[in-house]
Amino acid sequence: MYTCILQVIVVVWSMKIESSSAPRSLCPLSKALELIGDKWSLVIVRDMCLGKKRYGDFQQSPEGIPTNILADRLKKLEEHGIIGKRSYQQKPVRYEYFLTPKGADLLPVMQQLIIWMKKYDPDCWTPPEGFYDATPESLLQAYSEIE
Amino acid sequence: MYTCILQVIVVVWSMKIESSSAPRSLCPLSKALELIGDKWSLVIVRDMCLGKKRYGDFQQSPEGIPTNILADRLKKLEEHGIIGKRSYQQKPVRYEYFLTPKGADLLPVMQQLIIWMKKYDPDCWTPPEGFYDATPESLLQAYSEIE
DNA sequence: GATTGTCGCTTGTCTTTTGCAAGCGAGTAG
DNA sequence: CTACTCGCTTGCAAAAGACAAGCGACAATC
């Protein structure tokens, strides 16, 4: 009897711990929003499109992302395969971040968001030259040229 | 002296009350995320694209949006001109919601999000026939055909 | 005509997330 | 030895979110 109750508790707990909980639905829009539907994730991806790589780079963006949120988002974006990291020095070991193909493929989403916002809020900034012409492939190309 | 302090308090308060606070930056992506960068807003817009109009319709979506969040988002989306509402009955007065041109123009954003998610998570649902071919204009057209 | 039910919310309460500031460890520079 | 940088982590208060219950204005039913 009590054993049974304990088992239920354990199961409920393990459900909370393992695999970041079940999706709300299998709708692709809803699932996408569960991954990147917040105010900061795409700002970080934007910065990476613009060539930023390091923790300090992201911190210096004009939006002023809180440092604990930045650390959390970098971890989640990596868990979801949107970004990757590699160490750029030992002693102490430090990492720089880069877009994976999955992350680069978010470019069309951001382009559409920007087109939409520019249309209804003309005061906001104009993206850098060639931004609308960029493709996920051209972003990844930029990485391979560096190495 | 005390008058001065009171003035300061009034100014700070009025800054909080008027116009929903200053944007983090004028970057169009960042501003767009401040409007619709959350897990629920685009789910509601999606439902409206699919022809849902009423509070109860939105509640019945498979994601199960909490009712207070739904009320809050409908209010905010209306404040930002993304949706509108009109009464469909008196006694008691009840409203139904519809996409404005600004709201309908979010369709390309959602289409790109869905393309992205389908590419990296093939298990999720396939959108209804003709979804990718729809345009903001065709969504608004649907409204005018009803009346 | 009292009761039950529906619709579109609002309210209360608790939990989670966010924002801000401070701290910290492993180094380098002076 | 002290000061400083970088990339975080920790602590805490405030805001937002989730869940359940309630509510007002009616329509339908008993």
Side-chain angles (χ1 to χ4, degrees):
Chain A
M1 171 55 176
Y2 287 112
T3 317
C4 172
I5 292 173
L6 272 177
Q7 280 177 343
V8 169
I9 292 172
V10 167
V11 167
V12 170
W13 253 100
S14 61
M15 283 169 65
K16 285 196 72 162
I17 294 167
E18 58 140 320
S19 75
S20 42
S21 72
R24 307 180 291 192
S25 81
L26 292 181
C27 166
L29 185 83
S30 174
K31 291 200 77 173
L33 292 173
E34 290 189 78
L35 296 188
I36 55 165
D38 70 89
K39 299 208 185 320
W40 290 112
S41 295
L42 284 186
V43 169
I44 296 169
V45 174
R46 173 205 66 185
D47 282 354
M48 298 181 93
C49 291
L50 297 174
K52 297 189 180 182
K53 295 179 180 60
R54 297 187 184 175
Y55 199 90
D57 297 334
F58 304 126
Q59 279 194 100
Q60 282 159 33
S61 288
E63 290 82 14
I65 183 169
T67 177
N68 55 338
I69 303 290
L70 175 55
D72 177 78
R73 290 303 185 279
L74 288 172
K75 194 168 60 141
K76 283 186 177 155
L77 289 172
E78 199 199 347
E79 283 171 5
H80 294 131
I82 293 166
I83 68 176
K85 70 178 177 186
R86 94 189 111 225
S87 71
Y88 66 88
Q89 69 167 39
Q90 307 296 327
K91 306 198 331 178
V93 59
R94 293 274 159 82
Y95 298 95
E96 63 184 18
Y97 300 88
F98 55 91
L99 290 173
T100 62
K102 184 175 179 180
D105 276 337
L106 282 169
L107 181 63
V109 173
M110 294 188 291
Q111 286 169 330
Q112 290 299 328
L113 266 173
I114 290 169
I115 289 169
W116 178 77
M117 196 73 255
K118 286 285 294 175
K119 179 170 180 180
Y120 292 99
D121 183 1
D123 288 344
C124 62
W125 296 331
T126 295
E129 188 74 25
F131 179 80
Y132 296 122
D133 300 325
T135 63
E137 294 74 32
S138 68
L139 289 180
L140 297 173
Q141 191 69 25
Y143 287 129
S144 59
E145 280 167 13
I146 289 171
E147 323 202 14
Chain B
M1 172 51 177
Y2 287 112
T3 317
C4 173
I5 292 174
L6 272 177
Q7 281 178 342
V8 169
I9 292 172
V10 167
V11 166
V12 170
W13 253 100
S14 60
M15 284 169 63
K16 284 195 73 163
I17 293 169
E18 59 138 318
S19 74
S20 42
S21 73
R24 305 178 294 191
S25 81
L26 292 181
C27 165
L29 186 84
S30 173
K31 291 200 76 173
L33 293 173
E34 290 188 80
L35 296 190
I36 55 164
D38 69 90
K39 299 208 185 322
W40 290 112
S41 296
L42 284 186
V43 169
I44 297 171
V45 175
R46 173 205 66 184
D47 281 354
M48 298 180 92
C49 291
L50 297 174
K52 296 189 180 182
K53 295 178 179 63
R54 298 188 183 173
Y55 198 90
D57 297 335
F58 304 127
Q59 279 194 103
Q60 282 160 34
S61 287
E63 290 82 14
I65 183 170
T67 177
N68 55 339
I69 304 290
L70 175 56
D72 177 77
R73 290 303 186 280
L74 288 171
K75 195 170 60 147
K76 283 185 176 153
L77 289 172
E78 200 199 346
E79 283 170 8
H80 294 131
I82 292 166
I83 67 176
K85 69 178 176 186
R86 94 189 112 226
S87 71
Y88 67 87
Q89 69 167 38
Q90 307 296 329
K91 309 196 334 179
V93 60
R94 293 273 159 82
Y95 298 96
E96 62 183 17
Y97 300 89
F98 56 90
L99 290 173
T100 61
K102 184 174 179 180
D105 276 337
L106 283 169
L107 181 64
V109 173
M110 294 188 290
Q111 286 168 330
Q112 290 301 327
L113 267 173
I114 290 169
I115 289 169
W116 177 78
M117 197 72 256
K118 286 286 294 176
K119 180 170 180 181
Y120 292 99
D121 183 1
D123 288 344
C124 61
W125 296 332
T126 296
E129 188 73 25
F131 178 80
Y132 295 121
D133 300 325
T135 63
E137 293 74 32
S138 68
L139 289 181
L140 297 174
Q141 191 69 25
Y143 287 130
S144 58
E145 280 167 12
I146 289 171
E147 328 211 359

